[in-house]
Amino acid sequence: MAPNTATAGKSYAQKAADLFMTAVGMKSATKPEPKEDAFAEEKLNPVASANLLAERCRQYLSNSDVQKIREAFRYADQAHLGQFRNSGAPYITHPIAVAEILASWHMDAETIEAGLMHDVLEDTGITKIEMSEKFGVKVAELVDGVSKLDKLKFSSNEEAQAESFHKMLLAMSRDVRVILIKLADRLHNMRTLGAVKQHKKFRIAKETMDIYAPIASRLGLFSVYRELSDMSFSYMYPIRYRVLEKKVAESRMRKKNALDQIYHETSDRLAARKIRGDVQGKNKSLWRIYSKMKERKIRFSEVLDVHSFRVLVPTRDDCYRALGVIHELYKPVPGRFKDFVAIPKANGYQSLHTTVIGPGGLMVEFQIRTEEMHHICEDGITAHWLYRDRNTSDQLQRNTMDWLNGLLEIQKQSGTSLEFMENIKVDIFPDRVYVFSPRGRIIQLPKGSTAVDFAYQIHTDLGNCTIGCEINGETAPLTRELKNGEMINIIKGDKPTPNPSWLSSVRTGKARAEIRQYMRSLSEEGKIELGSKLLESSKSHHLPYSKVTNEDWTRVCKANGFTDKNALLDAIGSGQKDSLLLLHQLTAPYTLKGNETATTVQQSQEPVLALKGQICKLAPCCTPAMDDVIIGHYIAGTNTLHVHRKDCSHVQRGMRTDPENWRDLQWNSQYKGGYPVKLDIELTNTHATLERLTSMIAQQHSSVTGFAMSQQNSVDKVELTILVGDTKHLQKIINAIRTIDTVRLVSRHLESTPAMKPVDVEIDE
């Protein structure tokens, strides 16, 4: 957060130097641990903050390291002399608070020095060379890396945001300490966001929610993730936050007796079985509760795991013994048990999760883990510094570095920042599935991954040469979603033959980047040949490709901005265009059942009965079709009728403002052409569903003539324009689409006025 500059004052470092050194020289072994809020700038001045920082650093660093930190403090204080925060506090209080957060993670001296000076290069006239000479190249590189991140502007422009995110992840891959300093900086800025002007709060909070909280989660810093998420939620939606906070508090009060009973019964039973277990009540993140309500469209009273307990035990064996005790006490809820001890998450998280039915039918979640697992869970990648001598933290460090190195590999194969952003999204926002290789190796993949993802995860060459797969010993489609516990065997061909159509189903960034890289490496003739082969595979999609004429090619090329057929085939072969969607466009005139000459009929007849000479246009806002009740809007001077469904919001508004130019209409029963209708579809896995979706539409004798995709509130939304014969045909297609398990919702598109927009999820019981 940039400082405010005011008149110069006396250096706080000059005042604090002796006191700071006194703190460094303290020999007491019983020094009190600083409180979490001890560094709040409203409560302490920089002198006291410097003393507390020295005290905390000396608990795990040498005197020489603390001396270097002292020098960095004096240097930063002098550099920021005369600068103030929005709250009015001296600016140096912010770097000290950032350094204290880093010290609480037991980061090394170089990181804490960089934390103290992280704004020096950006906000003062000091250069990187000058800093290198005084503090060394590594410290200067860390400060420079954080300064570059501070200059990133995560604007609403998709391309600009992708480029900024790209730079941030590359900085992480060079030295993970850069992003840890940035996370500490953002954490303190969010804690003091109350001093920022109102119009900036939402922007900063949303940026934190979209960018920094997910990175904290991916690095295993769950305590940081929870705090950033909940603070962002409180600033983005303050009313919803307060209402939900009140609901949770009221629920705990109402159920206090039952929760107390569960606590005592569990503690007593564990003691009786001679299991040393620490039972703790656990507060669920308000943002997690709200997200679950939004995602599942449920009320607060329907969230099952608002109330939960954590059980900490000494050993891994005790985790499973404690689980048995809990299941003896209370009936477990089927399908609500997860074992992240045997199969840890990619970010190092380990715990047993089970939901049980307690007294009075109260559902509660138990999380069972060892003390060490708990520290790893809370501290994530920083456990590498906190618990250097532990195997678990070393493994977590290796996992993190493997992930960061993977980002570099994906970056090399990505053509643009937008492509890179798309490729790594699922790696930043993981929802994992665990499968096995034939040799028993556990492979972690994002939920919705396919056998192609699995092959590329094993090795790039295996992915490129994949021609088939076996799942649990049986032949299966390469595009089928993998499930937990399945064993995957890849059938390898003699030469690389990646299929660009795989791009519509793969989930991992590595697979997507490698397939695209291979497509780019093909010659122009190779791309055209591959594009032609993909279109000729239409038999499996129930589309009449054999009926396509040269006129159809001309029509589709013009609609998609291509000069000729070869240019279109080149785009398909290189993966720039989806073959199945273009196949739908090519065959659109021939897909309606029993309509072999739809094109000529459509040209000779109007779909709606109107005055002679009048031109009728079907409105794109509500896309009416045969059998809908319709009304027309006459545009004076154009001799054109715009045909709307009568329930269209534009009709309701237009009838009030311009009633004389609206008239009831009837469909022309002689018209045999198709009607373009828009569908709104919500998917749980867009890439894996598109091929099934378009194939299903083709089976119902329809075709896709338009396609758009977006994401709102973490939900994938697709808008499809399909060709139908009438509303009965449309309903048949909708019913077929609903049978696809990854389709959450499908409905006919109808644009709404602002007053008609759907209300938010209710959180009242």
Side-chain angles (χ1 to χ4, degrees):
M1 192 175 292
N4 293 330
T5 303
T7 57
K10 188 176 180 180
S11 170
Y12 282 96
Q14 294 167 5
K15 295 178 181 178
D18 293 337
L19 290 171
F20 197 96
M21 287 307 296
T22 300
V24 170
M26 290 174 66
K27 301 296 183 183
S28 172
T30 58
K31 292 175 293 192
E33 181 76 0
K35 295 180 181 179
E36 285 301 312
D37 65 348
F39 285 74
E41 60 193 22
E42 297 82 6
K43 296 184 180 181
L44 291 176
N45 61 32
V47 176
S49 298
N51 278 311
L52 284 174
L53 177 61
E55 192 174 327
R56 169 161 275 184
C57 290
R58 195 183 179 286
Q59 292 177 9
Y60 70 97
L61 293 175
S62 67
N63 283 348
S64 60
D65 282 340
V66 180
Q67 171 66 17
K68 293 175 185 176
I69 292 170
R70 169 187 174 274
E71 290 296 327
F73 164 67
R74 294 182 63 183
Y75 194 76
D77 183 39
Q78 189 65 45
H80 290 300
L81 192 62
Q83 295 177 341
F84 293 84
R85 305 200 81 210
N86 289 318
S87 64
Y91 192 78
I92 189 61
T93 57
H94 170 62
I96 293 175
V98 171
E100 139 61 21
I101 293 171
L102 294 169
S104 72
W105 297 342
H106 283 208
M107 298 303 296
D108 55 23
E110 289 177 345
T111 309
I112 297 174
E113 290 170 55
L116 283 165
M117 300 185 292
H118 75 274
D119 281 328
V120 168
L121 295 184
E122 183 179 3
D123 297 334
T124 71
I126 294 171
T127 67
K128 181 180 175 182
I129 294 176
E130 291 172 342
M131 187 176 287
S132 298
E133 291 173 350
K134 188 169 181 62
F135 294 97
V137 175
K138 287 186 179 179
V139 172
E141 286 288 347
L142 287 174
V143 174
D144 184 52
V146 178
S147 298
K148 287 178 180 176
L149 296 190
D150 285 335
K151 293 176 183 177
L152 301 184
K153 302 299 180 185
F154 293 100
S155 64
S156 57
N157 180 277
E158 186 178 6
E159 189 167 359
Q161 187 174 17
E163 179 61 27
S164 297
F165 201 69
H166 184 187
K167 290 177 182 176
M168 172 182 286
L169 292 175
L170 290 182
M172 284 172 58
S173 65
R174 285 190 286 268
D175 193 332
V176 73
R177 294 178 298 176
V178 171
I179 197 62
L180 292 176
I181 297 169
K182 185 59 185 174
L183 285 174
D185 172 52
R186 180 52 61 111
L187 186 59
H188 183 250
N189 281 338
M190 288 299 294
R191 288 173 178 174
T192 56
L193 197 61
V196 175
K197 292 181 180 178
Q198 189 62 39
H199 70 277
K200 291 184 178 180
K201 288 180 181 177
F202 183 89
R203 177 183 61 79
I204 295 171
K206 189 174 190 308
E207 178 182 293
T208 301
M209 184 74 81
D210 291 344
I211 304 297
Y212 296 104
I215 289 178
S217 175
R218 187 58 181 79
L219 295 177
L221 289 161
F222 286 106
S223 59
V224 176
Y225 167 75
R226 283 193 297 269
E227 188 173 355
L228 289 178
S229 297
D230 276 0
M231 286 192 294
S232 298
F233 179 29
S234 70
Y235 284 111
M236 290 169 65
Y237 308 111
I239 296 176
R240 300 177 201 179
Y241 179 88
R242 289 195 296 269
V243 172
L244 187 56
E245 185 179 40
K246 182 180 178 182
K247 284 289 177 186
V248 171
E250 289 175 349
S251 178
R252 286 202 185 100
M253 286 300 296
R254 284 197 311 272
K255 298 166 182 176
K256 183 178 182 302
N257 291 337
L259 292 171
D260 286 346
Q261 183 180 342
I262 293 172
Y263 168 80
H264 289 296
E265 287 179 349
T266 306
S267 299
D268 293 344
R269 184 65 65 90
L270 288 172
R273 296 295 177 85
K274 294 182 170 48
I275 300 173
R276 187 158 51 87
D278 180 15
V279 182
Q280 304 171 351
K282 180 176 175 291
N283 293 329
K284 193 173 183 69
S285 161
L286 293 182
W287 172 248
R288 294 286 296 275
I289 296 173
Y290 178 73
S291 298
K292 185 171 291 188
M293 292 166 61
K294 290 281 287 183
E295 180 183 348
R296 300 181 184 177
K297 294 181 172 58
I298 58 178
R299 293 172 178 266
F300 173 74
S301 58
E302 297 174 87
V303 180
L304 299 181
D305 54 356
V306 171
H307 309 291
S308 59
F309 290 90
R310 180 187 297 125
V311 181
L312 302 182
V313 294
T315 69
R316 178 186 173 119
D317 287 344
D318 289 332
C319 290
Y320 294 99
R321 292 176 60 207
L323 176 69
V325 168
I326 292 168
H327 282 182
E328 281 180 5
L329 271 172
Y330 310 112
K331 185 177 181 180
V333 178
R336 299 278 299 178
F337 170 69
K338 295 178 181 178
D339 187 345
F340 296 117
V341 172
I343 306 178
K345 291 186 178 181
N347 54 16
Y349 179 87
Q350 286 187 287
S351 188
L352 298 178
H353 290 198
T354 184
T355 301
V356 300
I357 303 174
L362 175 64
M363 288 194 183
V364 295
E365 182 187 56
F366 277 90
Q367 296 179 2
I368 310 164
R369 61 181 75 135
T370 67
E371 291 275 1
E372 182 174 338
M373 291 174 189
H374 180 59
H375 289 311
I376 298 294
C377 166
E378 293 299 299
D379 302 318
I381 184 61
T382 61
H384 176 68
W385 288 272
L386 279 165
Y387 314 105
R388 300 161 196 263
D389 57 338
R390 306 236 180 135
N391 293 330
T392 307
S393 63
D394 289 342
Q395 182 59 47
L396 175 57
Q397 174 76 356
R398 286 192 292 271
N399 290 346
T400 301
M401 296 316 298
D402 287 345
W403 174 62
L404 294 175
N405 289 332
L407 294 181
L408 280 177
E409 187 177 347
I410 291 172
Q411 184 266 337
K412 291 175 184 176
Q413 306 297 349
S414 300
T416 65
S417 292
L418 276 173
E419 187 178 309
F420 175 73
M421 183 82 164
E422 180 190 351
N423 289 343
I424 58 88
K425 267 184 179 178
V426 292
D427 294 311
I428 294 293
F429 308 98
D431 189 1
R432 316 301 287 183
V433 62
Y434 302 87
V435 294
F436 296 89
S437 72
R439 296 183 179 180
R441 177 183 168 191
I442 298 172
I443 303 296
Q444 301 181 36
L445 296 166
K447 191 174 181 181
S449 291
T450 66
V452 176
D453 291 294
F454 173 87
Y456 277 105
Q457 194 73 11
I458 297 295
H459 198 278
T460 299
D461 290 341
L462 179 62
N464 285 338
C465 295
T466 295
I467 59 173
C469 73
E470 293 178 347
I471 300 178
N472 294 334
E474 297 183 0
T475 303
L478 286 170
T479 55
R480 204 209 84 180
E481 286 188 24
L482 302 180
K483 299 176 182 177
N484 275 319
E486 291 183 326
M487 180 173 288
I488 318 301
N489 181 39
I490 298 297
I491 302 171
K492 185 180 179 182
D494 296 332
K495 58 181 181 178
T497 53
N499 190 329
S501 66
W502 290 348
L503 290 170
S504 64
S505 59
V506 295
R507 288 285 286 170
T508 57
K510 179 176 173 62
R512 195 177 305 281
E514 294 291 352
I515 294 168
R516 283 175 168 157
Q517 175 61 22
Y518 180 82
M519 297 302 116
R520 283 192 285 265
S521 70
L522 290 174
S523 64
E524 184 175 348
E525 292 77 10
K527 293 175 185 176
I528 292 173
E529 182 182 356
L530 180 57
S532 180
K533 287 181 179 178
L534 290 172
L535 286 177
E536 288 170 1
S537 65
S538 60
K539 290 181 180 178
S540 61
H541 299 294
H542 310 276
L543 291 167
Y545 181 59
S546 59
K547 297 177 182 178
V548 174
T549 65
N550 289 333
E551 288 76 16
D552 294 319
W553 277 105
T554 302
R555 168 177 55 83
V556 173
C557 286
K558 183 178 179 181
N560 289 276
F562 292 100
T563 55
D564 55 28
K565 177 180 177 179
N566 281 345
L568 184 57
L569 291 173
D570 183 288
I572 295 171
S574 62
Q576 297 175 34
K577 287 288 183 179
D578 184 85
S579 60
L580 193 52
L581 289 175
L582 288 171
L583 192 57
H584 271 273
Q585 294 180 39
L586 284 166
T587 59
Y590 315 107
T591 51
L592 290 180
K593 193 171 185 179
N595 185 14
E596 301 296 329
T597 56
T599 304
T600 56
V601 174
Q602 202 164 349
Q603 291 173 347
S604 62
Q605 293 181 356
E606 290 286 356
V608 176
L609 295 176
L611 295 176
K612 189 174 181 180
Q614 274 189 340
I615 300 171
C616 293
K617 290 187 176 180
L618 302 180
C621 55
C622 55
T623 56
M626 176 71 78
D627 297 332
D628 281 326
V629 180
I630 53 175
I631 190 169
H633 183 217
Y634 177 69
I635 307 296
T638 64
N639 205 33
T640 301
L641 269 176
H642 287 265
V643 182
H644 294 259
R645 288 158 52 189
K646 242 186 177 178
D647 59 352
C648 177
S649 62
H650 293 282
V651 174
Q652 299 168 20
R653 188 168 59 250
M655 290 287 283
R656 291 195 299 267
T657 58
D658 185 25
E660 63 276 6
N661 285 322
W662 291 84
R663 64 192 65 173
D664 291 329
L665 297 173
Q666 288 185 327
W667 293 105
N668 180 1
S669 59
Q670 301 302 312
Y671 179 75
K672 301 299 181 183
Y675 302 85
V677 173
K678 290 181 181 178
L679 295 179
D680 291 326
I681 306 173
E682 292 185 7
L683 309 173
T684 57
N685 185 344
T686 302
H687 294 295
T689 307
L690 285 180
E691 184 174 346
R692 296 171 63 190
L693 186 62
T694 51
S695 182
M696 179 72 76
I697 290 170
Q699 289 179 47
Q700 301 303 320
H701 306 288
S702 178
S703 55
V704 179
T705 59
F707 173 82
M709 187 169 64
S710 63
Q711 190 177 69
Q712 298 178 13
N713 298 322
S714 301
V715 175
D716 291 331
K717 296 193 174 185
V718 170
E719 183 186 282
L720 285 184
T721 303
I722 62 173
L723 209 59
V724 303
D726 51 32
T727 54
K728 292 179 181 177
H729 185 205
L730 172 62
Q731 191 58 49
K732 187 178 179 182
I733 294 170
I734 290 175
N735 291 340
I737 292 173
R738 283 174 177 157
T739 63
I740 300 175
D741 55 1
T742 49
V743 172
R744 287 182 48 182
L745 183 68
V746 55
S747 61
R748 192 171 177 183
H749 178 80
L750 184 62
E751 290 186 2
S752 60
T753 60
M756 296 173 63
K757 287 183 179 179
V759 297
D760 202 358
V761 175
E762 296 181 56
I763 58 177
D764 54 321
E765 295 189 57

